[in-house]
Amino acid sequence: MTWDSGTAPGKIYLLLPWYNEYLHVIFEGTDQFSVSFNQHNDECNPKRRPFPGVADSVQADRYVVYPDTEANGEDIDWDDDEDDEDDDDWDDDDEDMHLDAWKKKHKHRKSKGGRRRPTKGLPKGHAKIPDGRRELYIPLTHFDIDFNRVVSISFHGFYTKEPITLHHVEIVPDIPMPSQENGHYRLPGKLPSGRLVFRCSRPNSFAFGIDDGQPQFSQQVMRILDEQNVRVTFFVVGAGLRDRSSNFTEFYKEMLKKGHQVALHSNTHPKMESLRTLREIDDEIIQAVKIFKDQLSIKSSYFRPPFGTVGARLRQELARYIPNPYIVNWSVDVEDWLWANTSTPEKQLEAFYRGVDSGGNLAVMHYLNPTTIGYLPEFIRHIKNAGYRIMRIDQCLEDVSAPPL
């Protein structure tokens, strides 16, 4: 499930003036979810792919304020009035050390979009909220996007069945002062989260990212790529390399020799953001990295999330085990998962043409079905006729560690 703030078609928000402020969310229920800021694509056109163009995520529970359970909640009074004599009433000698540190790091500023008027007796930026509700504050600086091209905010990556209700979402200039009432609240640091990509950055480039396959089709795929003289990126599930009967290890060793890129695609292909524990996510990453080293003698910093599902937990754990990972989704979907086993497999061609015509230049496909493999030469011809140069994903992203073209 994903909740997206949404915008009118083509609309963007210029939020750079608020870059040093905070996303404030009041909610009830689970705090086990991701929050993303989404950036528009280069053309600021929702009909062009990808849309949105870039996203960065954080895990919500790291930013939650945990108030004193005995505090009485009050309704929030929202007011644009900048003058409030009660703002200076708050005083607690026991908190002087915490306040001094807080004031040095978080100076009160006038918000360019209006500000919240605190409840009497509380520090600026922290009015009491009704019982049963919680709040979180996330620095906008923790989202690595272009804040002059914001298109939406998303709440996603829910992996429990606990309900959630969002009551208020806003940008505010301040966070709560540390106090006994809020458990001496401190903002956490930004965790590394890798680079999520949907398209190639190199001009006139196109890349095929080929996921899971069937062993009986591997040699046919190799012949097509040899005949067309193109290099692609294979995203490989670790468990398949362990299965000696599949001969995948020898196949991918041969593809590496031919100049193709071989990259990570988890160990057993679950929806990783839906896994209940970090240990389960970590195991998928660790085992995949290990089998690449043991069977292929390579390391890869490229990872495609199974099913394309990705949130803050997966991104942060990937960055924990893989330095500066590239998390690769796509802007062209062949839709073989939808059409390959139907009476209308030609719709895979239609889906591919539609994605390319909409500006996509990084594809996802599989070699699980003979119809998809049969269309691969046509996919390649279509791209060449359109004037694109086909290359590996690391090359199309202009990665300095990629081999030269």
Side-chain angles (χ1 to χ4, degrees), residues 206-210 220-234 254-261 365 376-385 388-393 395 405:
F206 192 98
F208 286 92
I210 302 179
Q220 185 180 354
V221 171
M222 184 188 296
R223 285 196 300 272
I224 292 171
L225 297 177
D226 285 348
E227 291 169 359
Q228 297 290 333
N229 191 29
V230 297
R231 302 293 175 267
V232 302
T233 297
F234 290 94
E254 183 66 20
M255 300 312 278
L256 286 166
K257 290 179 182 178
K258 290 176 178 289
H260 299 281
Q261 181 184 12
M365 61 171 289
L376 180 55
E378 173 55 26
F379 295 155
I380 294 171
R381 283 193 293 270
H382 183 77
I383 293 303
K384 288 181 176 179
N385 290 338
Y388 292 101
R389 185 175 181 181
I390 299 172
M391 60 191 69
R392 298 162 33 144
I393 289 176
Q395 293 171 325
L405 294 173

Side-chain angles (χ1 to χ4, degrees), residues 3-220:
W3 182 88
D4 194 283
S5 62
T7 63
K11 184 174 181 179
I12 61 173
Y13 293 100
L14 308 178
L15 297 185
L16 191 60
W18 288 266
Y19 181 65
N20 290 311
E21 299 193 0
Y22 307 88
L23 180 70
H24 178 224
V25 181
I26 298 176
F27 67 100
E28 286 181 85
T30 183
D31 57 12
Q32 302 301 301
F33 59 90
S34 299
V35 182
S36 296
F37 265 81
N38 305 308
Q39 174 186 316
H40 218 316
N41 54 38
D42 291 343
E43 300 176 54
C44 293
N45 183 348
K47 295 182 179 180
R48 303 293 287 173
R49 297 188 183 182
F51 175 76
V54 176
D56 197 14
S57 306
V58 300
Q59 185 63 15
D61 62 351
R62 300 185 66 243
Y63 299 86
V64 173
V65 179
Y66 293 96
D68 184 343
T69 56
E70 296 181 2
N72 293 320
E74 297 178 22
D75 289 335
I76 295 174
D77 178 18
W78 302 96
D79 197 325
D80 287 339
D81 184 5
E82 293 299 322
D83 298 320
D84 189 344
E85 295 178 356
D86 295 327
D87 286 351
D88 297 324
D89 290 346
W90 188 81
D91 187 21
D92 188 338
D93 292 338
D94 293 336
E95 301 298 329
D96 285 346
M97 184 178 299
H98 298 295
L99 284 176
D100 288 343
W102 182 90
K103 289 175 181 177
K104 288 179 181 179
K105 188 171 183 180
H106 305 286
K107 296 180 180 179
H108 288 295
R109 298 173 301 279
K110 180 178 179 180
S111 171
K112 295 176 176 59
R115 52 165 289 193
R116 186 173 65 171
R117 181 179 181 180
T119 305
K120 181 176 180 179
L122 289 174
K124 296 179 181 179
H126 187 47
K128 283 188 177 180
I129 60 175
D131 287 337
R133 298 183 185 181
R134 293 190 287 170
E135 60 183 340
L136 58 82
Y137 293 83
I138 307 172
L140 298 196
T141 56
H142 284 198
F143 297 96
D144 185 14
I145 67 165
D146 181 352
F147 274 87
N148 273 333
R149 285 197 285 149
V150 175
V151 67
S152 63
I153 303 170
S154 298
F155 296 81
H156 61 106
F158 299 93
Y159 58 95
T160 73
K161 294 183 179 180
E162 185 182 353
I164 181 173
T165 302
L166 297 174
H167 290 285
H168 205 91
V169 180
E170 62 171 347
I171 294 175
V172 296
D174 301 308
I175 63 170
M177 293 181 182
S179 67
Q180 290 181 349
E181 186 175 66
N182 62 35
H184 305 295
Y185 179 66
R186 290 289 190 276
L187 280 174
K190 162 68 172 174
L191 291 179
S193 57
R195 178 182 173 189
L196 177 62
V197 296
F198 298 90
R199 63 176 287 111
C200 299
S201 60
R202 187 185 295 273
N204 298 316
S205 66
F206 192 98
F208 286 92
I210 302 179
D211 294 2
D212 333 296
Q214 291 288 349
Q216 63 267 33
F217 301 133
S218 60
Q219 294 303 311
Q220 185 180 354

